[in-house]
Amino acid sequence: MIINTLKFLLITIIVFFAGCAMNNGGPDPYENVNRKIYNFNKKIDKYSTKPIAKTYSKLTPKFVQIGIKNFIFNLDNLPTAANNLLQGNFDKSLEDVTSFSLNVLLGLGGLFNVSSELGFEKNDEDFGQTLGVWGFESGPYLMLPFLGPSTMRDLSGKVVDINTSGKNLLSQRSDRNNLRFIGLIDKRSQYLDFEKFLKMQFDEYAFVRKSYLNRRQQKIGIEEIQVDYISDSEILEIE
């Protein structure tokens, strides 16, 4: 139910933004709306996700946190392998499948990252990156409710990613949903210390936007952001 609702939300957002007229030629034509959604997400995080993440980080033993990360990362090896295959990275795709198999067989189902100990590199590919490699433009920058920063291309990719997630290997829907929730809290806990740095920025929204766009471009093999637009309030540069 939760996943079907999420997929419906993603598709609705795609249709909404696709039907909106762009008001300028920059990468963030919906900046006014995006900023409101960013502030909305901050409030939701402040009163829900963040307190849970802080409790999780404080009370959960480190070895348990590491085991959770390893298990989730290992499941992600399968869609990563598929995307590497679609991108023509056949060696990396084989490496991903091998890493998954080793961690399942020798790492107690993936709780221990055996493949890394054996020298296998951890890859990270999603369908948004695959679309980028295929030549699709990123489209306008979007700030999604609950989900955070994205682009039109990455938003389209998220619909595919949800349906091809390695978490779908779990037979029980409740188990899949619980794992997604735990993964969300675990990931949020990793950014607790980053908040201090974020609050130091002149414009948090602009900083997050440029950081996201820069990272996504680098992931598809483009070293620098391919846009020149910077808002009046954006005075910081990301190395």
Side-chain angles (χ1 to χ4, degrees):
M1 180 65 180
I2 295 177
I3 299 306
N4 289 334
T5 302
L6 181 57
K7 287 190 288 188
F8 176 78
L9 175 63
L10 292 176
I11 294 173
T12 301
I13 293 172
I14 291 174
V15 173
F16 170 76
F17 279 108
C20 291
M22 294 187 182
N23 54 27
N24 63 57
D28 194 0
Y30 314 116
E31 182 171 352
N32 290 336
V33 175
N34 283 337
R35 284 184 178 272
K36 292 177 181 179
I37 295 175
Y38 179 77
N39 291 329
F40 168 78
N41 286 346
K42 285 187 63 177
K43 290 181 179 179
I44 294 296
D45 177 70
K46 180 179 179 180
Y47 295 108
S48 60
T49 315
K50 181 180 176 180
I52 298 174
K54 291 178 69 174
T55 302
Y56 167 85
S57 180
K58 182 177 180 180
L59 299 181
T60 306
K62 288 298 180 183
F63 75 91
V64 175
Q65 295 184 40
I66 293 174
I68 291 173
K69 290 187 184 70
N70 289 340
F71 185 76
I72 294 175
F73 284 166
N74 193 50
L75 289 177
D76 289 340
N77 274 321
L78 293 180
T80 292
N83 280 292
N84 268 323
L85 185 63
L86 291 172
Q87 294 173 27
N89 299 324
F90 304 113
D91 291 342
K92 286 187 176 182
S93 181
L94 179 59
E95 186 177 65
D96 297 329
V97 173
T98 303
S99 293
F100 174 82
S101 303
L102 287 172
N103 290 335
V104 169
L105 296 174
L106 304 179
L108 297 181
L111 293 176
F112 295 94
N113 193 358
V114 177
S115 61
S116 291
E117 297 295 330
L118 296 176
F120 285 86
E121 182 180 354
K122 170 60 182 171
N123 300 311
D124 178 22
E125 302 292 333
D126 55 52
F127 196 66
Q129 291 169 238
T130 297
L131 291 175
V133 172
W134 287 353
F136 286 86
E137 296 294 332
S138 64
Y141 176 76
L142 307 175
M143 180 60 66
L144 306 178
F146 306 106
L147 300 177
S150 184
T151 62
M152 185 64 76
R153 180 183 64 204
D154 290 345
L155 176 56
S156 302
K158 287 182 189 298
V159 178
V160 176
D161 292 334
I162 289 175
N163 287 281
T164 58
S165 171
K167 300 176 183 66
N168 293 332
L169 291 175
L170 301 179
S171 58
Q172 297 296 322
R173 178 178 296 178
S174 59
D175 292 337
R176 296 195 296 270
N177 290 337
N178 288 336
L179 185 60
R180 288 186 175 95
F181 177 75
I182 294 173
L184 171 65
I185 298 303
D186 180 78
K187 187 173 183 178
R188 178 63 182 87
S189 69
Q190 299 174 41
Y191 289 93
L192 289 172
D193 293 335
F194 178 73
E195 282 187 277
K196 298 177 182 178
F197 175 73
L198 185 60
K199 290 179 179 179
M200 295 170 58
Q201 307 310 312
F202 179 79
D203 185 340
E204 285 187 21
Y205 171 83
F207 179 83
V208 170
R209 176 183 60 199
K210 193 164 188 178
S211 297
Y212 179 82
L213 293 175
N214 189 52
R215 177 172 171 76
R216 292 301 291 179
Q217 294 291 66
Q218 289 178 348
K219 277 183 169 292
I220 63 174
I222 301 175
E223 293 302 322
E224 297 180 357
I225 299 177
Q226 300 299 302
V227 293
D228 298 323
Y229 172 82
I230 299 179
S231 67
D232 292 338
S233 59
E234 186 174 3
I235 62 173
L236 296 172
E237 294 293 333
I238 309 303
E239 294 296 333

